[in-house]
Amino acid sequence: MSEDLLVQIYNAFDPKRPLEPDSPFYVDCHAVRGQENIIKEVGRSIVLANEPIYQLYTGHRGVGKSTELRRLRRYLEQNDRKVIYFEATDDIDEIDVQYTDILLSCTRHLLEDLWHYADPKPLVNWLRSGWEYSTDLASAKIDFSGLRQAEQISMFTKLTALLRQAPSIRQKIRDQLDLQMESLIKTLNYFIVEAQQSSGKELVLIIDNLDRIGLVSYGNDKTNHDRIFLDHSMELGQLACNVIYTVPISLVYSNRASQLRAIYGNCSVLPMVMVRSPNGTIHQPGLDKMKQLVQQRVGQFTDKALVPEVFESNAVLESLCLASGGHMRELMQLVQTALNWTEQLPIQRQAMLRAVAKGRDDYRNAVDEVDWERLAAVAQTKRIPNEDDYRGLLFNRCVLEYRMMEETEDDFRAVLWHDVHPLIQKLEPFQRAVERLQKSNVPPPIYRFSLSGSSSDEDVQNKLAIMQENNPDWKFVPDKPKPGESKAFLAIHKDVDERIYQGVYIIERTLTEIFDQLL
């Protein structure tokens, strides 16, 4: 067998290469991703809206967001929009980012792409006035003497490069930008409006890779993601054009998610391909999509049968697909690792096992000791609590998100759940944590509170209203008062699964008179 074929197949599974809309490798997976559709959810909003919109788009890193954003770009261009797409990681340090960095990057790309449609001089003058004579930032001085217009524009590239590559003066540059941000946005908007009028096209700015911004907790239940996208949402939402910001998936599950929705509208999420159902059984349509993804790439270079000529058996192929958890980049990496252990096709079971073992080792190193118990809890409940520690596991892909749509005659709803990455599930520390949880597992508590016999009806209602306001996810069911009590209530979770589970606990307490109210 030619070594060239192995090289071709190996590079077809490059995990870092997004696909263009017309790529023969592309497989439409929206049916096994909760019917997620970036064209409907984001593209149509831009096409239909009379005013600019600011949209958030998220999903796990490597799940295929960049590929979907490229499809969105083509759709918008076909609908007569001018689209500027760029990867923010060209300009920012993803482990140390502030809102100023993002807006400076936007300015650079807008200027480079649109200076033929609008006069760039006001923006160049803004840069000159703020930076050419800076005494505090000697290494960030911008010298405009003798430069042609195109060279003057390139000074924005110099400034973003300094911001990314010079940590010693990074904060000083940000402080200077922060002081001048209002004037920068005003000047930039004049430029954007002129460019749109000159080109006759509405502008859409797509900023990719912001989901890679590392998670930093500051205490008081606030993170750097909150500071960028919420505390500075006013600045991010002032550009005079449509903007799509990619954001870390953990941000969507913070306790400020309702604020995100109020500011940016619906946040579109690209979930995993559902290769297993919530109960752990194989979801055949999702598994078939992952196998099709492999076939599309291999089939471009050979007519060999996928099984048994490229993969030794269907079991080998399916094991790799299931081990990925429905995560595109994970599958790419697993196949490449298996090919590292393959001298000639087909890929053998031993090569597959080595690839899975390597993936498990990588994830073992990503899990802190205190996280095994949290992962065991996620595996049992299929949910992540609204806490920073759990959001960190989501951000690091130790926990994956899945969605499916349930449709009835009069309803259409998304069912969301989470699960531990399959590569983690066979690690011994995780399995021991699951065993400990199962041994200690008891029905979730029902909280009972009562009011004294001297309480007035008004006092009862006021206290009940306070309890309901502070516990919006719980319902309050009357309980039989004990001697000395005027009223008694049980706080019971609204979620149907929780109610059924707690129902066992209620029967054990012989509170059958309220069991009907639980269901």
Side-chain angles (χ1 to χ4, degrees):
M1 182 198 68
S2 170
E3 183 77 7
D4 291 343
L5 179 57
L6 276 178
V7 170
Q8 290 172 325
I9 294 176
Y10 184 90
N11 287 284
F13 287 88
D14 182 353
K16 296 181 180 180
R17 184 179 67 189
L19 301 181
E20 295 301 328
D22 57 354
S23 171
F25 294 167
Y26 182 77
V27 176
D28 185 351
C29 294
H30 80 276
V32 288
R33 278 179 156 168
Q35 298 186 23
E36 181 280 338
N37 189 321
I38 194 171
I39 304 301
K40 301 293 186 184
E41 296 179 16
V42 181
R44 291 288 292 164
S45 296
I46 293 172
V47 169
L48 295 175
N50 288 326
E51 299 294 330
I53 68 168
Y54 309 96
Q55 180 87 40
L56 302 183
Y57 187 59
T58 191
H60 290 281
R61 287 172 294 166
V63 77
K65 294 186 300 300
S66 296
T67 294
E68 294 302 309
L69 286 170
R70 283 164 166 75
R71 292 183 59 241
L72 175 64
R73 177 178 61 186
R74 183 176 69 173
Y75 168 80
L76 292 170
E77 289 172 344
Q78 290 173 342
N79 280 271
D80 205 31
R81 266 63 178 181
K82 169 67 176 175
V83 180
I84 298 176
Y85 167 95
F86 68 94
E87 296 177 348
T89 42
D90 290 342
D91 298 322
I92 65 174
D93 179 351
E94 60 192 65
I95 63 174
D96 179 14
V97 184
Q98 293 184 15
Y99 89 99
T100 49
D101 312 11
I102 296 171
L103 286 175
L104 182 63
S105 180
C106 291
T107 303
R108 173 206 156 189
H109 287 277
L110 286 164
L111 193 54
E112 289 179 352
D113 278 68
L114 299 176
W115 72 278
H116 294 292
Y117 297 99
D119 183 6
K121 289 181 181 178
L123 277 170
V124 172
N125 289 337
W126 173 89
L127 184 63
R128 184 197 300 267
S129 65
W131 302 89
E132 189 171 25
Y133 304 108
S134 172
T135 57
D136 295 331
L137 295 167
S139 58
K141 283 186 178 180
I142 307 295
D143 185 5
F144 287 87
S145 58
L147 296 182
R148 296 188 298 272
Q149 181 169 270
E151 294 170 328
Q152 292 178 0
I153 291 172
S154 70
M155 290 298 101
F156 276 91
T157 303
K158 177 181 178 180
L159 190 57
T160 57
L162 279 170
L163 192 60
R164 184 174 188 268
Q165 300 169 8
S168 61
I169 62 169
R170 184 177 292 158
Q171 193 55 48
K172 289 184 178 181
I173 295 176
R174 288 167 175 163
D175 292 342
Q176 183 87 341
L177 284 168
D178 196 42
L179 288 172
Q180 301 183 61
M181 188 54 67
E182 183 178 352
S183 63
L184 171 59
I185 292 175
K186 183 178 180 180
T187 307
L188 182 57
N189 280 341
Y190 281 129
F191 178 77
I192 290 172
V193 170
E194 182 182 349
Q196 290 183 120
Q197 291 174 345
S198 176
S199 66
K201 293 185 177 183
E202 186 179 342
L203 177 64
V204 183
L205 186 62
I206 300 177
I207 311 168
D208 201 358
N209 288 355
L210 293 176
D211 59 303
R212 299 183 184 182
I213 297 174
L215 180 64
V216 180
S217 296
Y218 297 122
N220 299 320
D221 207 23
K222 181 172 282 193
T223 70
N224 58 326
H225 298 162
D226 297 325
R227 288 188 178 179
I228 294 170
F229 295 103
L230 287 167
D231 296 352
H232 289 285
S233 60
M234 185 178 72
E235 291 89 346
L236 295 178
Q238 282 187 335
L239 298 184
C241 62
N242 300 286
V243 186
I244 300 168
Y245 296 102
T246 50
V247 296
I249 189 171
S250 51
L251 178 66
V252 179
Y253 297 99
S254 72
N255 56 11
R256 303 176 75 185
S258 60
Q259 290 178 259
L260 278 178
R261 179 179 172 84
I263 296 167
Y264 298 100
N266 293 327
C267 178
S268 297
V269 179
L270 183 64
M272 296 293 150
V273 171
M274 191 174 76
V275 292
R276 289 190 185 274
S277 300
N279 63 9
T281 59
I282 292 176
H283 183 65
Q284 197 61 49
L287 179 57
D288 289 344
K289 282 292 184 181
M290 297 300 282
K291 291 164 67 175
Q292 182 185 350
L293 185 150
V294 175
Q295 175 65 67
Q296 291 284 102
R297 293 168 187 256
V298 171
Q300 297 301 311
F301 305 106
T302 180
D303 293 330
K304 291 178 178 290
L306 196 61
V307 176
E309 293 181 279
V310 178
F311 292 87
E312 177 186 45
S313 66
N314 198 48
V316 169
L317 173 59
E318 291 190 348
S319 293
L320 290 170
C321 294
L322 292 171
S324 75
H327 185 274
M328 300 294 188
R329 184 176 295 171
E330 197 73 70
L331 179 59
M332 304 295 107
Q333 292 172 328
L334 287 168
V335 172
Q336 282 197 335
T337 304
L339 285 168
N340 288 338
W341 293 91
T342 300
E343 296 294 334
Q344 60 180 9
L345 295 177
I347 296 173
Q348 303 287 323
R349 180 173 179 272
Q350 285 296 111
M352 177 272 292
L353 292 175
R354 284 186 178 273
V356 172
K358 176 64 170 64
R360 279 203 303 266
D361 288 343
D362 290 343
Y363 276 94
R364 184 197 301 271
N365 297 330
V367 180
D368 293 331
E369 192 63 34
V370 295
D371 287 331
W372 296 113
E373 307 297 330
R374 297 186 180 105
L375 290 168
V378 172
Q380 181 186 72
T381 64
K382 308 302 181 187
R383 301 187 184 93
I384 55 166
N386 193 0
E387 299 174 10
D388 282 345
D389 291 329
Y390 284 90
R391 289 195 291 273
L393 294 172
L394 190 68
F395 180 79
N396 292 328
R397 302 186 306 281
C398 295
V399 173
L400 305 179
E401 177 177 314
Y402 300 90
R403 296 188 180 201
M404 64 180 178
M405 301 304 299
E406 287 188 350
E407 184 175 1
T408 62
E409 291 183 0
D410 58 354
D411 194 16
F412 194 74
R413 70 186 185 101
V415 178
L416 165 69
W417 77 94
H418 298 89
D419 208 348
V420 176
H421 197 299
L423 291 173
I424 292 177
Q425 291 182 18
K426 289 192 176 182
L427 290 172
E428 288 185 11
F430 172 76
Q431 293 179 338
R432 288 196 299 268
V434 170
E435 290 175 3
R436 289 193 296 271
L437 182 62
Q438 290 173 342
K439 289 178 181 178
S440 64
N441 203 14
V442 295
I446 290 177
Y447 300 96
R448 186 181 190 277
F449 66 97
S450 60
L451 297 100
S452 67
S454 61
S455 300
S456 65
D457 287 343
E458 183 180 1
D459 190 31
V460 170
Q461 293 302 318
N462 287 339
K463 285 183 169 59
L464 188 61
I466 292 172
M467 291 292 290
Q468 184 68 75
E469 181 180 354
N470 292 326
N471 299 274
D473 292 333
W474 295 72
K475 64 181 293 187
F476 294 88
V477 179
D479 191 15
K480 184 177 181 180
K482 297 178 181 178
E485 298 175 347
S486 63
K487 298 282 185 180
F489 297 91
L490 298 176
I492 301 170
H493 204 282
K494 290 180 179 179
D495 186 272
V496 173
D497 293 336
E498 290 286 354
R499 293 186 212 167
I500 293 172
Y501 191 35
Q502 290 174 335
V504 178
Y505 189 50
I506 293 168
I507 292 173
E508 289 176 353
R509 292 187 60 201
T510 68
L511 297 174
T512 54
E513 62 270 24
I514 67 167
F515 182 67
D516 289 343
Q517 298 181 54
L518 301 180
L519 305 174

